[in-house]
């Protein structure tokens, strides 16, 4: 009923198909506006989006002539939620191999790219969109290697074109999972990681331009052909050691990492593992790193802050579910933030294939936690930023998405109330300035069966 009333307010039904080409000038007025930059909410604010980009947001913003005006009085308006770590779009049913593209046990690891596996029509994508998630950082899972492959930033729009930025980062498992994959110890995982980075460095340092019949030489080695011509068995003539462990394709995929052009996203929980990541940064200063997980991060918060490495942390973890998270506390994120760590919220190992929208619940609980004696949470503004702009900044995309600052993509949600209150609902969702449908498989089932006449048999299937 809440969503239906806002649809009437907007004067149009939710779009069946959304396309960025349909973006127009929209002015949302009268609502309480959260900018997503860490600041407090602004009562009676206005947000203007033109051609898919934010023009202005705040108080005293003029409404452009000819804009579609949406009265959001009594509502809240924020940037779209960004899932800080997810596997959204990679799996519909975990236990069915044909519906699960999270991991690969094939011959390649670092060279894998999640983009071809993203299913924008999957039920979890629509569910998260209806919950206000407009973009998601999507990572593959590891198979036979500590390297899972290259993740992406996607949008949850209904236009069937989900990839915002492909090959955005390389995902690596350290800690318990990495140790098991590498052969049984953390020493093995760290040796594999350093060896792989050095192999990639050899390729980057001695790489000759690929021979291409078109004469093209790309700046990005991933774009060069694997085989330049049928009579050439190598396209990379870099000098490599004879005892290489990576395939040539995997080594080339790591070249942007060692050159600092692609983020290395590392999963680590234990304080000792986090210190090893900090040491790795000192050893390879050009590498741009981010950490996901970090349940024991608060115990070395000053060291993490000094390193400058962003952390996409799990929120509200309070029980030691593993040996590497014995020091877990709900105050982890609050203490990290207080120490100056660039921290945001992720949902690794937390049903992140389907329920990335839980990040909003966690953010709200962190606000409540800040009011408990002896606990450390987040202010309202920082909690909203932890699920909007901060994840984007961790991936180097803070200037593109995550806030209502001028020039950012027009991802916006109108909420029935405070978005950090679990009882509030997303009433309208815009991605790149285009209103999105909020229909899901669940709402379709609800509408199909709730008005059946007595004795009527439900339909088995309907297009």
């Amino acid at each position: 009923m809440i969503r239906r009333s806002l649809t009437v307010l907007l004067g149009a039904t939710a779009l069946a198909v959304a396309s960025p080409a349909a973006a127009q000038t929209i002015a949302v007025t009268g609502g309480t506006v959260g900018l997503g930059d860490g600041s407090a909410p602004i009562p009676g604010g206005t947000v203007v989006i033109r051609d898919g980009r934010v023009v202005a947001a705040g108080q005293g913003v003029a409404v452009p002539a000819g804009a579609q005006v949406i009265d959001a009085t009594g509502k809240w308006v924020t940037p779209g939620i960004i899932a800080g770590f997810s596997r959204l779009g990679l799996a519909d049913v975990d236990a069915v191999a044909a519906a699960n593209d999270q991991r690969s046990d094939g011959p390649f690891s670092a060279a894998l790219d999640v983009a071809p596996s993203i299913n924008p029509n999957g039920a979890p994508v629509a569910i998260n969109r209806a919950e206000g998630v407009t973009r998601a950082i999507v990572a593959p899972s590891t198979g036979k290697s500590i390297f899972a492959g290259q993740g992406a930033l996607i949008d949850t729009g209904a236009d069937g074109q989900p990839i915002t930025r492909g090959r955005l980062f390389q995902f690596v498992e350290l800690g318990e999972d990495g140790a098991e994959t590498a052969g049984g110890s953390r020493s093995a995982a760290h040796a594999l990681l350093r060896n792989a980075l050095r192999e990639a460095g050899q390729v980057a340092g001695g790489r000759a331009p690929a021979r291409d019949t078109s004469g093209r030489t790309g700046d990005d080695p991933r774009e060069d052909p694997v085989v330049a011509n049928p009579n050439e068995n190598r396209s990379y003539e870099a000098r490599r050691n004879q005892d290489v462990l990576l395939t040539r394709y995997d080594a080339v995929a790591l070249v942007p990492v060692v050159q600092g052009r692609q983020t290395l996203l590392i999963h680590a929980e234990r304080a000792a593992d986090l210190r090893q990541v900090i040491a790795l940064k000192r050893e390879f200063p050009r590498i741009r790193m981010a950490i996901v997980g970090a349940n024991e991060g608060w115990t070395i918060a000053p060291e993490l802050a000094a390193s400058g490495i962003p952390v996409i942390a799990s929120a509200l973890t309070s029980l030691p579910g593993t040996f590497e998270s014995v020091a877990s506390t709900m105050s982890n994120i609050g203490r990290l933030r207080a120490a100056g760590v660039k921290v945001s919220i992720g949902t690794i190992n937390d049903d992140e294939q389907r329920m990335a929208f839980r990040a909003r619940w966690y953010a709200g609980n962190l606000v409540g936690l800040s009011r408990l004696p002896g606990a450390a949470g987040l202010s309202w503004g920082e909690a909203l930023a932890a699920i909007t702009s901060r994840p984007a900044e961790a991936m180097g995309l803070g200037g593109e998405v995550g806030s209502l600052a001028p020039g950012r993509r027009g991802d916006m949600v109108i909420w029935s109330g405070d978005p950090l209150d679990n009882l509030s609902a997303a009433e309208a969702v815009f991605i790149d300035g285009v209103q999105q449908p909020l229909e899901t498989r669940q709402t379709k089932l609800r509408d199909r069966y709730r008005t059946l006449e007595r004795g009527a048999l439900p339909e088995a299937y309907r297009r």
Side-chain angles (χ1 to χ4, degrees):
M1 291 180 64
I2 292 173
R3 286 173 177 160
R4 189 169 298 166
S5 66
L6 185 65
T7 299
V8 174
L9 179 66
L10 297 176
T13 57
L15 302 178
V17 177
S19 169
Q24 56 184 317
T25 302
I26 301 168
V28 180
T29 63
T32 300
V33 176
L35 298 177
D37 60 358
S39 60
I42 303 170
T46 296
V47 179
V48 176
I49 295 175
R50 180 188 297 123
D51 297 328
R53 295 277 177 171
V54 177
V55 175
Q59 286 183 331
V61 174
V63 176
Q68 176 191 355
V69 179
I70 301 171
D71 182 4
T73 302
K75 315 294 182 183
W76 288 58
V77 186
T78 70
I81 304 303
I82 295 181
F85 183 93
S86 77
R87 293 189 167 103
L88 195 60
L90 293 180
D92 280 327
V93 183
D94 291 0
V96 178
N100 189 338
D101 288 305
Q102 296 178 87
R103 59 172 284 169
S104 170
D105 289 324
F108 297 111
S109 57
L112 298 175
D113 181 358
V114 298
S117 297
I118 301 293
N119 177 18
N121 298 322
V125 174
I127 291 169
N128 280 270
R129 178 173 66 235
E131 292 287 345
V133 177
T134 56
R135 310 233 175 219
I137 296 168
V138 180
S141 298
T142 52
K144 296 179 180 179
S145 169
I146 62 172
F147 290 96
Q150 300 166 92
L153 178 72
I154 71 167
D155 70 60
T156 60
D159 61 357
Q161 302 294 327
I163 307 301
T164 303
R165 187 71 63 88
R167 294 172 172 174
L168 178 61
F169 61 92
Q170 180 73 234
F171 181 57
V172 174
E173 282 278 6
L174 292 182
E176 291 181 5
D177 290 341
E180 181 178 359
T181 301
S185 75
R186 285 173 166 80
S187 297
H190 284 281
L192 279 174
L193 175 57
R194 283 171 167 79
N195 179 78
L197 295 176
R198 289 191 173 94
E199 285 190 36
Q202 290 174 358
V203 172
R207 172 178 166 268
R211 299 191 189 96
D212 188 347
T213 55
S214 67
R216 185 192 68 81
T217 300
D219 292 330
D220 188 340
R222 296 169 299 179
E223 300 299 333
D224 292 338
V226 175
V227 177
N229 63 66
N231 298 317
E232 179 67 40
N233 64 359
R234 295 186 306 169
S235 62
Y236 299 101
E237 298 180 351
R239 296 179 179 178
R240 300 180 67 195
N241 296 335
Q242 295 301 311
D243 58 344
V244 294
L245 297 178
L246 297 179
T247 67
R248 182 182 64 218
Y249 200 26
D250 287 328
V252 169
L254 287 172
V255 168
V257 172
V258 297
Q259 292 179 338
R261 296 187 290 113
Q262 185 184 59
T263 299
L264 183 65
L265 182 58
I266 302 173
H267 179 205
E269 305 283 2
R270 196 166 75 175
D273 293 331
L274 297 174
R275 283 196 170 105
Q276 289 300 317
V277 175
I278 295 171
L280 186 72
K281 174 66 175 177
R282 291 194 294 266
E283 185 177 348
F284 297 90
R286 293 184 64 185
I287 294 180
R288 189 171 67 232
M289 296 181 184
I291 295 170
V292 63
N295 273 326
E296 293 191 348
W298 67 275
T299 64
I300 61 164
E303 296 170 58
L304 285 170
S307 74
I309 300 173
V311 176
I312 304 173
S314 300
L316 303 184
T317 304
S318 61
L319 297 176
T322 61
F323 283 103
E324 62 184 356
S325 59
V326 172
S328 295
T329 172
M330 289 186 179
S331 294
N332 183 41
I333 287 181
R335 291 171 181 171
L336 288 172
R337 174 62 188 167
V341 178
K342 301 172 184 176
V343 64
S344 56
I345 295 175
T347 55
I348 189 168
N349 297 333
D350 187 15
D351 207 3
E352 68 273 22
Q353 308 91 316
R354 287 168 293 274
M355 302 187 74
F357 61 82
R358 282 176 172 167
R360 179 172 70 93
W361 303 354
Y362 297 153
N365 278 284
L366 286 174
V367 175
L369 192 66
S370 67
R371 301 166 185 160
L372 295 179
L378 297 176
S379 67
W380 189 95
E382 278 301 328
L384 179 64
I387 54 174
T388 54
S389 62
R390 302 296 185 241
E393 291 166 0
M395 291 292 107
L397 295 177
E400 183 73 8
V401 295
S403 75
L404 294 179
R408 304 304 188 272
R409 288 177 179 258
D411 299 348
M412 174 180 64
V413 181
I414 302 175
W415 305 88
S416 62
D418 183 345
L420 303 188
D421 184 335
N422 293 355
L423 297 180
S424 299
E427 296 186 353
V429 174
F430 296 82
I431 296 176
D432 287 323
V434 179
Q435 189 182 353
Q436 301 294 319
L438 300 183
E439 190 177 54
T440 67
R441 175 174 173 80
Q442 285 81 347
T443 62
K444 291 178 181 178
L445 290 171
R446 176 201 64 195
D447 295 342
R448 181 188 299 182
Y449 295 125
R450 70 177 174 180
T451 58
L452 286 177
E453 296 180 4
R454 186 179 298 276
L457 296 176
E459 298 177 55
Y461 189 79
R462 183 195 301 168
R463 273 288 180 190

